Amino acid sequence: MAPDATTQSIVATELVARALELVPIPAAHVVVNAGKFDLFAMNRAYKLAGLGVIAERSPMIGELGPRILAFLESPSLRLDFEWTLGDAIDCRYYRVTIARTFASLRDRCTISFIDQTSQVQTERSLRREMTTDSLTGLPNREGFEDLIESVGDRGAIAVLAIDIDRFGRLNSCLGSLAGDELLITVARRIKGALRARDTLARIGGDQFGILMAIEGGGAGDSDRHEAHALADRIQRTLTTPFRLTDYEISVECSVGIAHGADEAEDVAELIRHAQFAVKRAKASGRAESYLPQDFAIARAQFSMETALRRAIENRELRLAYQPICDLATGRIVSFEALARWTDEDGTHHCPTEFIPVAEESGLIVPLGRWAIDEAARTLAYWDACHGAPCGVKVAVNLSAIQLQRDDIAPVLEAVLVATGLTGDRFTLELTESAIVTDPDRIAETMHALKALGTTLAMDDFGTGYSNLAYLQKLPIDVLKIDRSFVTGMLADRDKVSIVRAILSLAQALGMKTTAEGIETIELAQTLAALGCTYGQGYFYAKPLEADAAFAMIGTGVGA
């Protein structure tokens, strides 16, 4: 005689109960009758896990009951989902699986639990370590991005990037431990200047970020004023000197601000906007907000850097030559070599645009080497065309970055050997800023260049921060008076006084002088009468191509 349905159910339940004991993870068998949980079985692992009794009034059934009922009413054979049990302090995390015990029996199922608490806690701990700066305990850049990402209304925030000025120099002079101590102390001070709803992070070596919540959800000009007020408060907070080992160090910072309401495709771009604004803040000396053109300018510079690198490698640049004349006779004595660049598309790039890009990217080193080599080759070609030394020198500008990063004397010596020229045919022009960056190293380089017989000229004299002791000690032959003092000199007594002072100083130090920016014969005659040695400017000629410059050799404009 075949067993009835009730007997089958009882037998099935007993079989499942026995089978559950073989399962190493918590598991239970649930039977539902008219929407009520009135029969159960559980294994020993389930009891030890402390999951509670599966019963009508069980808290667990209160949470899982609707899912169990929905599962039994569906055609599915299995359902997996994540589930938590307990409060935030003592929370357990489970992977729950509900499966049909018998496909033919639609009123029962087996529930198993995989405890993932340890795994979840480990992942959270690793995530916390990955998003936290180990030195300051603040969120790092990744953590900062997560914080911004979690803000629902991006328009209600501003992001501030704070760059500590001179930190690299302080770190190298005082040591990394003192540098770390400074960063920790700076972080504390900045945090003290924030409001409760603002968040501080360390997003770079010496750069901090602030996620600023705007009152009222952002309201145009008012939220920008609020962000600038916070930036000013931070800058004032850092004005009090920091005590590090035996030193009291003054710290200044540059602050860039990006507003969430501005167009930014993602969080990382919003932070970059603030960092772009930092660059302008360093130049202006005050907090700056991001402007859309900042990003366009930066991209254009990277594009220019790529094209310039290719142009240098393919020797696509050229030199133009502007004559320098003896003011007493008007005879051309030298040509200043000036870099010119026309790209593949026929676009002419101004030196004031591509030279800063070359300096920032490090391309100034190969560019400077190319300029020395090209100028020497041109001068040797002029000599060959003349049938003898053509009687003029060539002047090449040296960048401060180039002097710091390259060993100029061996470079020039190799070029002289290759072209058969002597060092006295070269004038090397450097600026005051190049000298003050690293006086000892620059002095060594200058003496090495003088040993090759070159003439050394200080360019743009009067616009920098010259130390008169340097002028006395360094082997400088020529002071070039900046055009800002020469242009309009005849109508400005102050400019005349400055030029007289520079000429007197040069005479006292046994140096010659070159006046830049001469555009009229009256100006040339006046400078000659004052005792200036050489003149350069549009009165004589604009920068010329090599062949046109060679045609001018032996001629001049009478002073």
Side-chain angles (χ1 to χ4, degrees):
M1 181 177 178
D4 58 19
T6 301
T7 303
Q8 284 182 328
S9 176
I10 293 173
V11 171
T13 300
E14 290 178 351
L15 290 173
V16 170
R18 294 173 186 173
L20 288 180
E21 290 300 330
L22 302 177
V23 178
I25 60 174
H29 181 60
V30 177
V31 178
V32 179
N33 184 13
K36 295 184 179 181
F37 302 89
D38 56 2
L39 186 64
F40 66 89
M42 65 188 78
N43 63 3
R44 179 177 176 82
Y46 181 93
K47 297 174 183 177
L48 293 175
L51 290 171
V53 178
I54 294 182
E56 192 62 36
R57 292 178 300 277
S58 168
M60 188 181 73
I61 288 300
E63 296 181 21
L64 294 183
R67 292 199 180 196
I68 295 173
L69 292 174
F71 170 74
L72 291 176
E73 292 173 0
S74 73
S76 303
L77 298 178
R78 175 179 174 136
L79 175 66
D80 296 281
F81 56 90
E82 309 293 334
W83 179 64
T84 59
L85 178 64
D87 54 29
I89 298 177
D90 189 24
C91 187
R92 308 292 297 178
Y93 301 86
Y94 292 96
R95 176 71 174 176
V96 180
T97 299
I98 304 177
R100 295 191 185 279
T101 311
F102 299 97
S104 59
L105 300 176
R106 314 292 295 181
D107 62 344
R108 65 201 62 209
C109 61
T110 299
I111 308 175
S112 59
F113 302 82
I114 299 177
D115 192 342
Q116 296 181 318
T117 304
S118 177
Q119 178 183 343
V120 170
Q121 291 175 343
T122 300
E123 289 177 353
R124 287 186 174 180
S125 177
L126 289 173
R127 180 62 182 170
R128 191 162 47 249
E129 290 181 12
M130 289 173 60
T131 57
T132 302
D133 175 50
S134 59
L135 177 65
T136 61
L138 299 171
N140 59 16
R141 187 181 183 108
E142 186 175 357
F144 192 52
E145 291 182 2
D146 289 346
L147 288 171
I148 300 173
E149 195 73 56
S150 66
V151 178
D153 182 9
R154 194 78 62 81
I157 64 170
V159 172
L160 282 70
I162 304 169
D163 191 272
I164 307 303
D165 300 337
R166 297 192 308 143
F167 178 77
R169 183 179 174 189
L170 291 170
N171 201 42
S172 60
C173 292
L174 301 182
S176 58
L177 290 178
D180 289 348
E181 182 185 350
L182 176 63
L183 289 173
I184 293 170
T185 310
V186 165
R188 288 173 181 167
R189 284 205 194 172
I190 294 176
K191 202 165 188 178
L194 302 182
R195 305 160 306 175
R197 61 179 180 274
D198 300 329
T199 306
L200 179 66
R202 184 185 176 201
I203 59 176
D206 61 343
Q207 197 168 84
F208 294 89
I210 295 173
L211 172 59
M212 179 183 178
I214 304 296
E215 287 184 346
D221 292 339
S222 62
D223 67 324
R224 296 177 186 273
H225 175 75
E226 192 176 343
H228 278 271
L230 176 58
D232 292 340
R233 190 161 66 248
I234 290 169
Q235 289 176 320
R236 288 196 303 270
T237 298
L238 298 180
T239 55
T240 304
F242 291 78
R243 183 76 179 181
L244 296 176
T245 61
D246 297 330
Y247 302 94
E248 282 193 354
I249 306 298
S250 295
V251 172
E252 295 181 350
C253 67
S254 301
V255 183
I257 305 168
H259 300 274
D262 295 338
E263 293 184 5
E265 293 183 1
D266 54 32
V267 168
E269 187 174 15
L270 184 61
I271 298 173
R272 286 198 300 272
H273 285 180
Q275 291 174 319
F276 279 129
V278 166
K279 192 170 184 179
R280 281 196 299 108
K282 286 181 176 292
S284 69
R286 61 178 183 273
E288 296 283 356
S289 289
Y290 168 77
L291 299 174
Q293 56 263 38
D294 290 346
F295 196 48
I297 291 171
R299 283 194 168 181
Q301 287 178 334
F302 280 119
S303 177
M304 179 176 285
E305 177 185 335
T306 301
L308 180 59
R309 177 176 282 105
R310 189 180 302 115
I312 294 171
E313 291 174 352
N314 297 335
R315 298 183 73 92
E316 294 172 354
L317 287 87
R318 71 185 193 282
L319 291 177
Y321 299 87
Q322 185 171 33
I324 300 174
C325 296
D326 187 318
L327 287 176
T329 65
R331 185 177 61 86
I332 296 174
V333 296
S334 181
F335 285 91
E336 181 178 359
L338 302 166
R340 295 292 183 263
W341 177 29
T342 302
D343 63 22
E344 297 174 348
D345 299 327
T347 302
H348 299 280
H349 295 281
C350 181
T352 56
E353 295 176 353
F354 70 80
I355 294 298
V357 171
E359 290 182 329
E360 186 174 346
S361 63
L363 289 175
I364 194 66
V365 172
L367 177 60
R369 290 190 171 200
W370 165 83
I372 292 173
D373 181 69
E374 183 68 17
R377 289 175 182 271
T378 301
L379 189 56
Y381 173 73
W382 288 349
D383 286 351
C385 292
H386 192 68
C390 62
V392 298
K393 296 182 179 183
V394 66
V396 178
N397 291 282
L398 299 179
S399 160
I401 305 297
Q402 181 185 3
L403 285 165
Q404 291 172 10
R405 300 186 183 182
D406 201 7
D407 201 353
I408 304 297
V411 171
L412 179 60
E413 185 175 15
V415 168
L416 294 176
V417 170
T419 57
L421 298 172
T422 55
D424 60 352
R425 304 289 301 282
F426 263 85
T427 297
L428 298 174
E429 299 184 0
L430 39 80
T431 61
E432 296 174 75
S433 59
I435 296 175
V436 300
T437 50
D438 190 351
D440 294 336
R441 172 178 166 78
I442 301 304
E444 183 180 344
T445 299
M446 292 175 71
H447 284 290
L449 292 171
K450 282 300 294 181
L452 295 175
T454 63
T455 298
L456 297 180
M458 180 177 284
D459 199 9
D460 303 331
F461 184 76
T463 60
Y465 307 93
S466 288
N467 184 323
L468 295 182
Y470 294 156
L471 293 181
Q472 187 177 13
K473 294 178 181 179
L474 295 176
I476 299 170
D477 303 297
V478 180
L479 294 183
K480 296 194 72 174
I481 307 171
D482 188 71
R483 68 180 63 250
S484 61
F485 302 124
V486 176
T487 303
M489 185 184 80
L490 298 180
D492 190 331
R493 286 186 175 184
D494 291 338
K495 289 185 177 181
V496 173
S497 299
I498 292 172
V499 171
R500 283 183 184 274
I502 295 174
L503 294 174
S504 297
L505 176 63
Q507 184 178 13
L509 295 174
M511 300 176 185
K512 295 181 179 180
T513 49
T514 299
E516 300 178 299
I518 299 177
E519 297 183 357
T520 65
I521 188 170
E522 292 81 12
L523 194 52
Q525 290 172 340
T526 301
L527 287 164
L530 290 173
C532 187
T533 317
Y534 306 118
Q536 178 180 359
Y538 285 1
F539 169 62
Y540 300 104
K542 294 182 179 181
L544 305 166
E545 298 300 322
D547 291 340
F550 176 68
M552 286 191 69
I553 295 176
T555 68
V557 180

